[in-house]
Amino acid sequence: MAAASALTGKADDYTNSADLEMQWAMKAYHHAETFYNLISSVNPRLLKLTKHDDEIYTEFRKDFKDMDISVLNEDSMKTADGKAKWRPFCNHFEGQLDDFNFGTLIRIDCKEPYSKENSTLVTRVQFYAIEIARNREGHNDSIWQKKSEEKNAENKS
């Protein structure tokens, strides 16, 4: 009963715990760092991010066939119209992907590393859809190639 009465309160009466926000930020940063290290170390075209990659990619390109994924247009994703277009896609993967709607950082410009200016927040399934497409379509190749060239130069020194 206490939970039910809490849900009837005004949203303004609730605040986010600073500890919870910090834990989320640390988890999101760790995920971003792990992904970037992965595409820096392995040919991105060979990566499989989930067991649902094929379905995610097919559905993404069916629903967003003309979306430019090299440099994301945040407005097209975060406006009311953008959210309405993404919602059915995201909900399609509810129950299939763990944390499908968990807030996740993604690079705006795929040729650049994560930074405050080059990151935005999306749902986990949006992250997978865009990054799987970037991997398969060769948009993340430059990150891997740059790191490979740096390693080769170090080895020659």
Side-chain angles (χ1 to χ4, degrees), residues 127-143:
F127 168 86
Y128 282 140
I130 293 166
E131 291 297 353
I132 289 167
R134 283 175 168 176
N135 290 344
R136 291 184 176 194
E137 296 171 16
H139 295 280
N140 282 333
D141 288 359
S142 63
I143 300 293

Side-chain angles (χ1 to χ4, degrees), residues 31 98-104 122-128:
H31 181 267
D98 291 337
D99 299 328
F100 83 103
N101 63 350
F102 189 80
T104 305
V122 296
T123 64
R124 181 68 50 95
V125 70
Q126 287 174 303
F127 168 86
Y128 282 140

